[in-house]
Amino acid sequence: MIHLCTRDSRPLEHVNTQYRKTAMAAHNGSQLKRLILWTLGLLALKNMSAVHSISTSEKQLYIVYMGSNKIPHALGITAETHSDLLSSVLGSAATGKTALVHSYIHGLNGFSAMLSASEAAQLSEMPGVVSTFPSVSCSLQTTRTWDYMGVNLDGESWTSTNFGKDVIVATIDTGVWPEHESFDDEGMDPIPEKWKGECETGQSFPEFYCNRKLIGARYFSEGYEAIWGQINTSDPTVSLSPRDTEGHGTHTITTLGGSRTTNVSFQGTGLAVGTARGGASNARVAAYKVCWPGSCQTADILAAFDMAIHDGVDVISISLGASAIDYFYDSIAIGAFHATDKGILVVAAGGNSGPSKATVSNGAPWILTAAASSIDREFLSDIHLGNNVTYSGPSLNTEKIDPNVYPLVDAGNIPAQNITSTDARMCGPDSLDAKKVKGNIVVCVPGDMLGINYPEVEVYDKGGVATIMVDDELKSYAQVFRHPAVTVVSQGVGSHILSYINSTRSPVATMTLSLQYLGIPAPIAAKFSSRGPNVISPDVLKPDLIAPGVSILAGWSPAASPSEDPSDIRTFQYNFLSGTSMSTPHIAGVAALLKAEHPDWSPAAIKSALMTTATPLDSKHNQNSHGDLTWGSGHIDPKGAIDPGLVYNTTSGDYKLFLCSMNYTDSQIRVVTGTDTAHVTCPKARVSASSLNYPTIAASNFTNTITVVRTVTNVGAPTATYRAEIDNPAGVRVRVSPDVLNFTPDTEVLSYTATLEPMDTQPWLKNWVFGALIWDDGRHRVRTAIAVGPTVDSPFF
Ligand SMILES: *[C@@H]1O[C@H](CO)[C@@H](O)[C@H](O)[C@H]1NC(C)=O
Ligand SMILES: *[C@@H]1O[C@H](CO)[C@@H](O)[C@H](O)[C@H]1NC(C)=O
Ligand SMILES: *[C@@H]1O[C@H](CO)[C@@H](O)[C@H](O)[C@H]1NC(C)=O
Ligand SMILES: *[C@@H]1O[C@H](CO)[C@@H](O)[C@H](O)[C@H]1NC(C)=O
Ligand SMILES: *[C@@H]1O[C@H](CO)[C@@H](O)[C@H](O)[C@H]1NC(C)=O
Ligand SMILES: *[C@@H]1O[C@H](CO)[C@@H](O)[C@H](O)[C@H]1NC(C)=O
Ligand SMILES: *[C@@H]1O[C@H](CO)[C@@H](O)[C@H](O)[C@H]1NC(C)=O
Ligand SMILES: *[C@@H]1O[C@H](CO)[C@@H](O)[C@H](O)[C@H]1NC(C)=O
């Protein structure tokens, strides 16, 4: 499993130095592991985390989770109660106060503090404490690249929702660029009265930046500062305020709820021209900033959830993630649990660790987990070679070099002194001979060294005209580079180009401006999108839904580098990015529209509506994918979701039983759910997570017949008759009883059982297989995806 998140990410300056050093080491012949450069500029080099581990006696930032603030003994909790508890372990009131970093009191009960491992262990034994765990740093779930697209919501069916009017949507992210035109509030009504949030002032963020569109903005830096020291307010690249200097937060919040802005295009070039708007363009937005250079601490994220619950938001979109861990040790799962309990739907990014299985994170069943797919648009530029052969590749080439023809060189043939040809071809820092780069188009094969922007930086630093990068993975989407004339081609095309260079005395080429192509087969699941099964609870299918997350154009912070190269000082109002970070606010935006249409629906009902109306991806265009483990119920269908017919609702009792299936003790569950003793006793018999009333049915370790109960609520016409249609997974027979559901005005809620029985052929011993149960009343098709698979410890899991 890929660790998206390490406890010890470093602030940006350190990272960049390390990044440079590592890149150099690669040229000195050492094995270079794959580098992943996140939007933030944070470098997560997988084998680098060992470099700065924290010693056990040292104090670290811990989160002490004490469950719900609803239970009687927790009522009236204050920061005081927390520092008293802390003092009882640390020995003095003064040390208790100093050690306390956050007090979570609004939406849940708990605190964070600087503790040694043994102090943390002592606290975890205290009554009322559910769990104690170190704060870790989360990553932004962005790869790189994009175009704006937005789920197509034009049409009459949306007028009743008024595009989310009065629904309050929030992001927990890198903050917001408040002057962005997407926050124009012209014509908006006064702020809904239920809003209890505020616009926190801070460095370069006076309160007047909030308006009727951007109604709230807060920042949470205590956890980060407890670890890394005070934020340097003289550093112009950081702002101790809700202001976004990274770009990611402005991108996600404008996707989620940006106002309509006409005639937007990439850098005003006419590329991707159109009207930009968020999914819920009339919704009110609020930004909760938790990311600082190099790190988004989970202790700060939990504080953001705590305040968002207090403030009265309706939907939370969080494009951050850490490795999958037990839910009571996972701040996002905990924050989302209490948000859901208060009627707030939480949509979270599933991660960018695909295409391997078992990589999905943020997979708690109360979260709506997002996967990412392409849209029907591509940006390509052509490379014409001197032999009249033309290739094309993804590119956002806005610099005109066409029709001039330039010499074409293989970077492997122009190494700098003491650099081998193999290393030169990767085009790392100072690997090329400047004299031979100048005035040429250079072909680089970065190979395993996915530093991404350094081949083009090296070529342009040394005076090159354009760069052709050979990389199969990057080939799937267009990306913004420091210098515009860059095209990416596949390994196959790359070797044709290299052999053309080798075949002639004076190889030449030209590169055209990028053009937009529509009608590309879509959606295709992004290779980077994390896959199920969910390692923490494999009997709940994850991710839940797939939505656009490749080449998305949305608002950007002019203070941020558009290409993630710190030397890139261009200012952009809109930028392209790719990732499950981008699909998350698309889904959250549609959820906000449903909330506007159906204000009384629970988060589970909204989620069910989105899932049972989703469209599974076409396997013809998605070969070598892992089916439902990649896209869950399928691609979001906003129009279908508004009128789903039936919904799978979830009560707090359902979650209690689910927690029993997770092996938590009665007392832990009592504290978490905030119910009294009498109501929480886990059944003696083992509870299966498969029986949670979820809009999909999943069973890992499927060896014997299993029966699950599901309960559906009619939200369509009061009288309706639904009949079951079954699409059996390979090697499984599904029986449904009853197979007809008659709803009347008096019978809104009905249950059925689904029995999954193994047949003689059993492909699921080796792989996951998928089917579906569809309830059809002639007007609605309520699709419940079914997934069965091998044991967790099987190599095929
Ligand atoms: C804070 O930032 C300023 C401006 O970049 C820099 O000159 C100064 O050295 C920094 N201070 C610290 C303590 O890093
Ligand atoms: C749209 O923007 C382009 C480029 O910025 C500009 O040339 C054009 O006149 C604009 N069109 C309208 C209708 O405003
Ligand atoms: C390429 O095409 C042009 C015009 O179509 C032609 O004049 C030229 O001879 C061709 N070159 C090669 C190498 O085929
Ligand atoms: C190249 O290597 C030789 C021998 O190791 C060394 O003397 C020389 O300084 C190196 N040149 C450069 C430019 O690094
Ligand atoms: C270039 O051609 C020579 C001789 O035909 C061959 O040995 C060499 O491998 C080729 N190099 C590349 C990069 O294709
Ligand atoms: C779902 O259950 C909640 C309580 O758990 C209830 O408030 C709501 O009305 C139910 N139905 C729908 C469609 O949300
Ligand atoms: C559940 O608890 C049992 C008994 O305490 C233990 O053996 C098992 O490993 C636990 N399972 C999980 C998933 O934690
Ligand atoms: C899988 O199921 C078998 C039999 O039903 C059971 O003995 C085994 O413990 C299960 N394994 C896991 C990992 O749950």
Side-chain angles (χ1 to χ4, degrees):
M1 190 177 47
I2 292 173
H3 289 260
L4 297 175
C5 159
T6 51
R7 154 174 343 162
D8 36 24
S9 325
R10 322 199 102 191
L12 196 54
E13 315 87 275
H14 303 236
V15 167
N16 283 345
T17 323
Q18 188 67 41
Y19 170 54
R20 200 84 192 170
K21 273 197 206 134
T22 314
M24 292 314 292
H27 291 284
N28 297 337
S30 74
Q31 264 302 90
L32 187 71
K33 291 277 181 240
R34 181 156 267 235
L35 302 179
I36 300 167
L37 190 64
W38 301 98
T39 313
L40 194 59
L42 164 68
L43 189 75
L45 177 60
K46 273 185 256 159
N47 64 352
M48 215 169 85
S49 36
V51 178
H52 32 259
S53 58
I54 293 168
S55 94
T56 47
S57 61
E58 220 176 297
K59 301 252 181 185
Q60 291 187 61
L61 183 59
Y62 278 89
I63 294 162
V64 179
Y65 172 48
M66 304 178 66
S68 166
N69 60 0
K70 281 191 303 194
I71 49 173
H73 85 252
L75 288 176
I77 47 160
T78 61
E80 223 89 291
T81 7
H82 292 146
S83 69
D84 287 351
L85 177 62
L86 197 48
S87 304
S88 72
V89 167
L90 299 184
S92 89
T95 29
K97 272 215 175 66
T98 326
L100 190 68
V101 175
H102 297 98
S103 210
Y104 311 118
I105 56 177
H106 303 291
L108 62 136
N109 183 10
F111 59 91
S112 76
M114 293 302 285
L115 301 168
S116 69
S118 68
E119 289 159 354
Q122 254 180 289
L123 271 163
S124 66
E125 300 300 316
M126 305 288 279
V129 173
V130 180
S131 53
T132 301
F133 51 97
S135 176
V136 297
S137 174
C138 283
S139 305
L140 302 170
Q141 299 298 325
T142 308
T143 63
R144 347 185 63 236
T145 317
W146 3 15
D147 116 63
Y148 180 80
M149 92 117 228
V151 180
N152 182 4
L153 299 174
D154 286 327
E156 315 74 64
S157 56
W158 293 100
T159 46
S160 63
T161 74
N162 202 356
F163 294 97
K165 182 172 173 293
D166 289 354
V167 173
I168 302 169
V169 295
T171 54
I172 297 180
D173 210 301
T174 67
V176 62
W177 190 263
E179 297 86 350
H180 199 277
E181 59 185 0
S182 294
F183 305 118
D184 183 357
D185 68 348
E186 203 188 307
M188 293 194 84
D189 290 339
I191 295 170
E193 277 181 10
K194 65 175 178 181
W195 179 241
K196 294 215 246 358
E198 59 181 87
C199 198
E200 276 184 355
T201 55
Q203 195 185 6
S204 58
F205 204 94
E207 186 172 0
F208 61 79
Y209 281 128
C210 281
N211 60 17
R212 291 178 176 188
K213 176 71 196 175
L214 176 63
I215 63 170
R218 294 185 186 270
Y219 65 101
F220 304 85
S221 60
E222 295 85 352
Y224 178 88
E225 291 184 299
I227 294 172
W228 297 111
Q230 279 192 347
I231 284 165
N232 182 355
T233 51
S234 322
D235 180 345
T237 67
V238 186
S239 177
L240 187 59
S241 78
R243 184 175 289 284
D244 174 21
T245 54
E246 318 278 0
H248 188 272
T250 303
H251 202 282
T252 54
I253 201 168
T254 56
T255 302
L256 175 60
S259 299
R260 275 171 186 270
T261 4
T262 50
N263 199 25
V264 162
S265 74
F266 177 57
Q267 283 182 276
T269 58
L271 200 55
V273 69
T275 296
R277 64 176 152 69
S281 55
N282 284 347
R284 317 306 176 117
V285 299
Y288 295 80
K289 175 174 170 181
V290 295
C291 296
W292 305 95
S295 171
C296 324
Q297 283 297 318
T298 54
D300 289 328
I301 292 172
L302 195 53
F305 270 106
D306 191 42
M307 279 317 291
I309 295 169
H310 165 272
D311 292 348
V313 308
D314 296 305
V315 176
I316 294 174
S317 178
I318 178 163
S319 294
L320 298 168
S323 311
I325 44 168
D326 231 354
Y327 302 137
F328 288 172
Y329 297 83
D330 173 346
S331 288
I332 295 178
I334 292 170
F337 182 88
H338 294 287
T340 308
D341 193 41
K342 305 271 174 9
I344 303 165
L345 177 65
V346 178
V347 184
N352 302 333
S353 306
S356 300
K357 282 199 280 184
T359 46
V360 69
S361 62
N362 289 332
W366 44 86
I367 292 176
L368 201 171
T369 313
S373 60
S374 65
I375 59 170
D376 66 345
R377 164 152 96 176
E378 259 179 17
F379 300 95
L380 301 173
S381 70
D382 288 345
I383 307 156
H384 297 295
L385 304 182
N387 63 1
N388 281 352
V389 176
T390 298
Y391 296 107
S392 68
S395 133
L396 295 168
N397 181 2
T398 52
E399 194 162 274
K400 202 165 174 64
I401 68 160
D402 178 53
N404 294 319
V405 171
Y406 293 90
L408 180 66
V409 293
D410 171 357
N413 292 341
I414 52 169
Q417 208 182 343
N418 290 357
I419 300 282
T420 66
S421 167
T422 315
D423 284 347
R425 194 172 276 156
M426 296 197 285
C427 300
D430 297 326
S431 62
L432 302 181
D433 179 349
K435 288 194 299 293
K436 296 178 179 159
V437 172
K438 203 164 165 33
N440 295 332
I441 298 177
V442 180
V443 182
C444 298
V445 189
D448 223 14
M449 197 169 64
L450 189 71
I452 304 183
N453 57 10
Y454 47 132
E456 52 101 7
V457 169
E458 174 65 4
V459 171
Y460 286 92
D461 274 0
K462 301 283 152 42
V465 171
T467 312
I468 296 172
M469 271 174 44
V470 181
D471 187 307
D472 280 331
E473 194 161 330
L474 278 186
K475 205 200 157 287
S476 56
Y477 48 87
Q479 177 177 328
V480 175
F481 289 105
R482 168 74 182 89
H483 303 93
V486 182
T487 289
V488 185
V489 297
S490 65
Q491 300 289 349
V493 168
S495 54
H496 284 299
I497 296 174
L498 291 178
S499 58
Y500 159 68
I501 293 174
N502 204 14
S503 72
T504 176
R505 251 195 153 132
S506 39
V508 291
T510 189
M511 191 187 286
T512 63
L513 284 175
S514 298
L515 291 176
Q516 168 178 306
Y517 294 84
L518 299 175
I520 308 298
I524 295 174
K527 193 172 170 193
F528 58 74
S529 191
S530 291
R531 269 60 169 176
N534 177 358
V535 290
I536 309 297
S537 40
D539 296 332
V540 177
L541 182 64
K542 287 285 173 173
D544 293 306
L545 279 176
I546 200 162
V550 175
S551 297
I552 305 297
L553 184 66
W556 191 248
S557 162
S561 158
S563 60
E564 299 166 40
D565 175 351
S567 71
D568 184 355
I569 53 164
R570 293 174 296 170
T571 58
F572 280 23
Q573 296 296 323
Y574 292 88
N575 199 6
F576 287 94
L577 291 184
S578 294
T580 52
S581 274
M582 281 65 247
S583 52
T584 301
H586 277 106
I587 295 174
V590 178
L593 297 179
L594 294 196
K595 181 76 186 172
E597 179 74 10
H598 307 289
D600 54 336
W601 281 12
S602 67
I606 293 174
K607 177 173 163 181
S608 172
L610 293 168
M611 287 170 66
T612 61
T613 56
T615 314
L617 269 56
D618 181 345
S619 55
K620 194 171 81 216
H621 300 309
N622 285 279
Q623 280 160 8
N624 309 318
S625 205
H626 297 293
D628 295 16
L629 296 178
T630 305
W631 53 73
S633 294
H635 195 270
I636 189 167
D637 172 9
K639 281 183 187 150
I642 205 152
D643 178 22
L646 306 177
V647 294
Y648 292 89
N649 205 354
T650 307
T651 63
S652 52
D654 289 324
Y655 288 131
K656 255 179 260 170
L657 277 179
F658 171 78
L659 296 175
C660 293
S661 82
M662 293 292 296
N663 243 2
Y664 295 119
T665 64
D666 289 359
S667 74
Q668 277 178 314
I669 296 172
R670 191 171 63 244
V671 173
V672 168
T673 57
T675 36
D676 58 40
T677 327
H679 288 98
V680 184
T681 319
C682 288
K684 285 257 155 35
R686 212 183 118 65
V687 187
S688 162
S690 303
S691 54
L692 176 69
N693 197 40
Y694 210 72
T696 53
I697 296 171
S700 65
N701 193 20
F702 181 69
T703 43
N704 297 315
T705 298
I706 65 156
T707 297
V708 300
V709 180
R710 288 288 186 275
T711 301
V712 281
T713 305
N714 181 21
V715 293
T719 305
T721 301
Y722 281 86
R723 283 167 218 288
E725 237 175 69
I726 290 160
D727 167 16
N728 286 311
V732 181
R733 182 176 298 110
V734 179
R735 281 178 289 115
V736 177
S737 173
D739 61 1
V740 177
L741 298 175
N742 278 308
F743 293 93
T744 65
D746 296 333
T747 320
E748 280 189 332
V749 179
L750 287 172
S751 294
Y752 67 86
T753 61
T755 302
L756 279 52
E757 184 191 347
M759 300 199 300
D760 298 342
T761 52
Q762 299 176 347
W764 35 264
L765 285 173
K766 291 218 161 168
N767 220 327
W768 283 76
V769 293
F770 311 104
L773 157 61
I774 296 141
W775 289 104
D776 192 329
D777 71 341
R779 290 195 52 223
H780 305 98
R781 285 176 67 75
V782 184
R783 187 175 178 281
T784 307
I786 299 174
V788 305
T791 50
V792 180
D793 41 20
S794 134
F796 309 106
F797 177 72

